Amino acid sequence: MSFFDLKIAAIYIFQIVLGTLGNLSLLIHYICLHCRGDREQSTDLILRHLTVANFLVILSIGIPQTMAAFGLNDFLKDFECNLVLYVHRVARGVSISSTCLLNVFQAITISPRDLRCANLKLTVPKYIGPSTLLFWALHMLINVIFPIYGSSKRNNKTTSNQNKLGYCSLSLNDNIKFSLFTALISSHDVVCLGLMSWASGSMVFILYRHKQRVRHIYRSHVSHRSSPETKASQSILVLVSTFVLCYALSSITYTYLAFFGNPSLWLLNASPFITRCFPTISPFIFISSDPRNLKNTFGPVSLLEK
């Protein structure tokens, strides 16, 4: 085992431990809020599903990739390889969809109180539960191609391309179908990235207008602290920047790996690390931005609803 492999394994282990602790802290955070008797918010359900998806994203590929970094190459059999990829792709899709839904819901929540938005604010929370379940069902259905590939490989005697992933090799029996599947997944990522960018931009714009309207209040209370709107805008920008950067790079690397069976070593190691970045970092962002914390950053939501 080379020193480079040892460094890669150490980085993977650090990321897995940090991501596991972060998501576990988020779950404990909600348990403490429930024990404290705080009123449950509509976004809590989205975040619970998001936390489960993040756990699966971190562990499903993180553990096999770490073992591969320690020198255990191609230790997963065909069915196990496809099952791991299936769980990972489902969890990754749910993580992206849930984060997008969370941001869109927050944008609707702080939107101005006109008649159309008022009706939307009343109806949207009713569909959060069904939407989160739909995400799981939809991505389980779309990504069923991986178990199918696993079974078809055993029954197909023709020569197939091998996409080497380190811990296993994925058999590509039909490049055309797999290319269409990759395009479908990439289009889903692009749509979610676009919706989240739009929702985040809308929230920042609404918070800026609200800050302009209440500027005289802040002038009458001289303080060196940032306004709640500024803190909220910063939190939104941190979240969306992390999301867009991580998943945009992840989509690019996955597309490249799907079409090129023998990628370079650094790309093979960087791809799973990039994919796990947002599930690792996001729990700390969500905890710090929860309005039920001592110094919340989403305080303007409550201000706008008064």
Side-chain angles (χ1 to χ4, degrees):
M1 181 178 179
S2 65
F3 181 67
F4 174 78
D5 293 332
L6 185 61
K7 290 192 296 183
I8 294 297
I11 293 173
Y12 285 164
I13 292 173
F14 174 77
Q15 188 183 44
I16 292 172
V17 172
L18 182 64
T20 302
L21 290 177
N23 285 280
L24 186 61
S25 299
L26 188 59
L27 286 177
I28 295 174
H29 172 68
Y30 287 118
I31 293 174
C32 292
L33 291 175
H34 178 74
C35 295
R36 227 164 56 189
D38 288 18
R39 184 173 63 89
E40 188 177 71
Q41 296 183 351
S42 300
T43 55
D44 290 352
L45 180 60
I46 303 176
L47 288 170
R48 285 197 292 267
H49 282 268
L50 179 60
T51 302
V52 173
N54 285 344
F55 266 125
L56 292 176
V57 170
I58 293 170
L59 298 179
S60 60
I61 293 295
I63 294 177
Q65 197 72 34
T66 302
M67 295 174 67
F70 277 112
L72 298 175
N73 295 318
D74 294 327
F75 64 92
L76 291 181
K77 298 180 181 178
D78 298 339
F79 175 77
E80 296 168 345
C81 177
N82 285 276
L83 182 61
V84 165
L85 290 172
Y86 176 71
V87 173
H88 173 72
R89 297 297 306 190
V90 170
R92 179 182 180 274
V94 173
S95 177
I96 295 176
S97 301
S98 299
T99 308
C100 180
L101 175 64
L102 176 67
N103 227 38
V104 171
F105 177 77
Q106 288 177 331
I108 295 173
T109 301
I110 68 172
S111 58
R113 282 181 170 272
D114 55 29
L115 181 59
R116 182 179 59 182
C117 289
N119 294 330
L120 195 59
K121 290 179 184 180
L122 292 175
T123 57
V124 167
K126 300 177 183 178
Y127 296 101
I128 287 180
S131 296
T132 52
L133 295 177
L134 178 62
F135 291 154
W136 286 102
L138 182 63
H139 288 288
M140 288 175 68
L141 181 62
I142 293 175
N143 290 281
V144 76
I145 188 173
F146 284 113
I148 291 176
Y149 265 71
S151 60
S152 64
K153 181 182 177 180
R154 293 189 296 270
N155 299 325
N156 191 353
K157 296 182 180 179
T158 61
T159 303
S160 60
N161 296 327
Q162 293 292 319
N163 194 307
K164 297 182 179 180
L165 303 174
Y167 49 88
C168 67
S169 297
L170 178 64
S171 177
L172 303 180
N173 297 309
D174 191 331
N175 286 331
I176 296 177
K177 291 181 179 179
F178 196 79
S179 299
L180 292 175
F181 169 76
T182 302
L184 176 63
I185 296 298
S186 300
S187 63
H188 164 266
D189 294 352
V190 170
V191 170
C192 288
L193 290 171
L195 282 175
M196 188 167 180
S197 300
W198 168 80
S200 300
S202 299
M203 283 192 285
V204 172
F205 178 69
I206 292 170
L207 292 171
Y208 174 77
R209 288 199 307 176
H210 181 265
K211 180 181 178 181
Q212 296 297 108
R213 289 198 298 267
V214 298
R215 182 183 297 177
H216 64 282
I217 299 177
Y218 297 131
R219 287 177 178 176
S220 61
H221 296 81
V222 180
S223 174
H224 295 289
R225 295 181 300 177
S226 300
S227 67
E229 289 83 0
T230 301
K231 293 179 180 179
S233 299
Q234 291 172 349
S235 180
I236 293 169
L237 291 175
V238 168
L239 178 64
V240 71
S241 299
T242 306
F243 179 89
V244 172
L245 178 63
C246 292
Y247 279 121
L249 290 176
S250 176
S251 297
I252 293 172
T253 56
Y254 267 110
T255 302
Y256 183 87
L257 291 175
F259 287 102
F260 298 94
N262 293 303
S264 60
L265 182 61
W266 73 268
L267 183 60
L268 194 63
N269 290 316
S271 178
F273 176 82
I274 295 171
T275 302
R276 296 191 298 268
C277 278
F278 184 77
T280 300
I281 300 171
S282 60
F284 302 101
I285 300 176
F286 292 134
I287 292 174
S288 64
S289 61
D290 195 304
R292 292 159 293 186
N293 285 331
L294 293 177
K295 296 292 184 180
N296 69 82
T297 54
F298 277 96
V301 173
S302 59
L303 290 174
L304 290 168
E305 292 178 345
K306 290 183 179 179

